[in-house]
Amino acid sequence: QVQLVESGGGLVQPGGSLRLSCAASGSIFSGYAMGWFRQAPGKQRELVATITSGGRSTGYVDSVKGRFTISRDNAKNTVYLQMNSLKPEDTAVYYCNTNSGRLVWGQGTQVTVSS
């Protein structure tokens, strides 16, 4: 069973940057299109960025376009989310999973944007 471990979150001021990582166990990782999700307090989990299995195509929700960049390194079984120009509304727990959320969810990593 593939396990997902997210890391890289923290407290950052508005306008700052963070780079999240998601390490996946299991050799089948490279066959999955992956996504980064986030869940803010009192809100549903939302998909914010996606990347195809080979990494050639990406997609973003409008609220993060131009600020977030998703990438992956299949040799390391890792997917990344570079987050720039962070805003307080980006505060959430961030998770990675396949685009359809078919894998067991990891613990996520907390991102807090506050002055």
Side-chain angles (χ1 to χ4, degrees):
Q1 187 174 12
V2 177
Q3 291 185 316
L4 303 168
V5 179
E6 300 91 349
S7 63
L11 173 63
V12 62
Q13 292 187 341
S17 297
L18 285 172
R19 188 190 194 209
L20 306 184
S21 298
C22 171
S25 64
S27 60
I28 59 175
F29 169 81
S30 62
Y32 289 122
M34 296 295 293
W36 279 96
F37 299 74
R38 68 184 180 187
Q39 187 167 20
K43 295 188 177 182
Q44 289 190 330
R45 189 175 293 170
E46 66 168 338
L47 178 63
V48 298
T50 62
I51 188 166
T52 53
S53 58
R56 292 187 177 185
S57 182
T58 59
Y60 303 91
V61 68
D62 285 347
S63 59
V64 308
K65 277 182 183 176
R67 302 188 298 121
F68 289 11
T69 303
I70 187 171
S71 61
R72 67 191 296 163
D73 184 339
N74 285 342
K76 295 182 179 179
N77 284 356
T78 302
V79 61
Y80 305 98
L81 186 67
Q82 177 67 44
M83 305 188 296
N84 299 328
S85 302
L86 282 161
K87 304 176 181 180
E89 52 263 42
D90 295 318
T91 296
V93 180
Y94 284 72
Y95 304 85
C96 71
N97 208 311
T98 67
N99 290 354
S100 59
R102 65 179 293 179
L103 301 176
V104 175
W105 293 93
Q107 294 296 312
T109 186
Q110 175 71 49
V111 172
T112 302
V113 185
S114 175
S115 55

